[in-house]
Amino acid sequence: MIDMNQIVGSHDIVMITLDTLRYDVAKLEESNCRNLCADGPWEKRHTPGSFTYAAHHAFFGGFLPTPANTDKASHVRLFHTKNTGLKTHPYTWQFDAPDLVSGLAEEGYRTICIGGVIFFTKKNKLAKVLPGYFQESYWRMNFGVTNPRSTEHQVNHALKLLEKADINERLFLFLNISAIHGPNHYFLPGGSRKDSIESQRAALRYVDSQLGILFDALRSRGKTLCLAFSDHGTAYGEDGYDGHRLAHEVVWNVPYREFIIE
């Protein structure tokens, strides 16, 4: 169990949301995730929201996906706002701010968002809300869901920022990875035109292949806490359902990992 009171202030923190990644898909590809699962397996958790906008509001409030079990003692939050009157675990870091991002900024962190899906595009007022939590936010067309090299472009942008960052400045770097979100059929050979479990698996393999260089760059800065998880899953016809923003186990069950890069 990570003591966040030892992490905050001493480590960079990177939060990676693997947008729309299903838990069952993540487990099928676990052995191929050489970067995301280098030192451990995916943990099954429950998301606080069934689509990107809702889930990320919760994440930025400190409500990360919850362990998928009935043992409440294991449901230890890494972050918790102060002055709620609720009992918190000694390892939970408490922030006195409206949201986690602002709380880390008040602690001296430089907060950076590299967006992916539509809610991070800043193209309209709604799409400015989530990036607006951060001191710096970036989105380009080639970061989005229609670009088959989107993760490569997002990582390259992060690398440029890391290269210029003060080594003594603590960073909170957030990436919303868009590649796994539909459409992802183009990751399959043969010109498939339909998203599926298989195409999402292929998209995850691609995403993981791009993260090694980012982790190396973070490693060169010192110690980094990495939080990598999905915001929600999606249905591919199960029980007649398609997509997300609905109540089905393939949407609510998400993969989660936390690990130290050093």
Side-chain angles (χ1 to χ4, degrees), residues 223-237:
K223 295 182 179 180
T224 299
L225 170 65
C226 182
L227 305 171
F229 49 88
S230 176
D231 54 345
H232 57 80
T234 199
Y236 295 121

Side-chain angles (χ1 to χ4, degrees), residues 100-171:
L100 169 63
V101 186
S102 299
L104 288 171
E106 291 181 359
E107 199 68 22
Y109 278 76
R110 175 184 170 192
T111 64
I112 304 169
C113 168
I114 298 178
V117 304
I118 190 171
F119 292 112
F120 295 92
T121 63
K122 300 189 283 186
K123 288 189 173 183
N124 57 40
K125 290 182 178 180
L126 181 65
K128 293 178 181 179
V129 173
L130 296 176
Y133 282 108
F134 294 81
Q135 295 166 334
E136 302 171 38
S137 60
Y138 304 92
W139 189 87
R140 307 283 187 271
M141 278 293 295
N142 60 9
F143 296 175
V145 298
T146 59
N147 193 299
R149 295 171 58 193
S150 60
T151 308
E152 177 186 350
H153 295 304
Q154 290 179 293
V155 167
N156 284 340
H157 193 83
L159 293 176
K160 292 176 183 177
L161 296 174
L162 291 174
E163 184 179 358
K164 297 177 181 178
D166 185 342
I167 194 70
N168 296 311
E169 181 180 40
R170 295 282 61 83
L171 302 180

Side-chain angles (χ1 to χ4, degrees), residues 5 8 58-63 77-84 92-107:
N5 294 294
V8 174
F59 300 154
F60 296 151
F63 301 94
R77 289 178 55 184
L78 299 182
F79 311 101
H80 199 291
T81 186
K82 289 183 176 179
N83 302 319
T84 62
T92 299
W93 182 71
Q94 298 186 56
F95 55 93
D96 188 15
D99 57 88
L100 169 63
V101 186
S102 299
L104 288 171
E106 291 181 359
E107 199 68 22

Side-chain angles (χ1 to χ4, degrees), residues 50-68:
S50 64
F51 71 113
T52 300
Y53 190 73
H56 282 79
H57 268 300
F59 300 154
F60 296 151
F63 301 94
L64 303 187
T66 306

Side-chain angles (χ1 to χ4, degrees), residues 74 103 214:
S74 71
L214 174 63

Side-chain angles (χ1 to χ4, degrees), residues 26-46:
K27 290 299 287 184
L28 288 169
E29 287 298 316
E30 195 168 74
S31 62
N32 295 319
C33 291
R34 297 178 181 179
N35 294 299
L36 287 166
C37 297
D39 63 351
W42 289 110
E43 179 185 349
K44 183 179 182 180
R45 291 204 172 194
H46 291 151

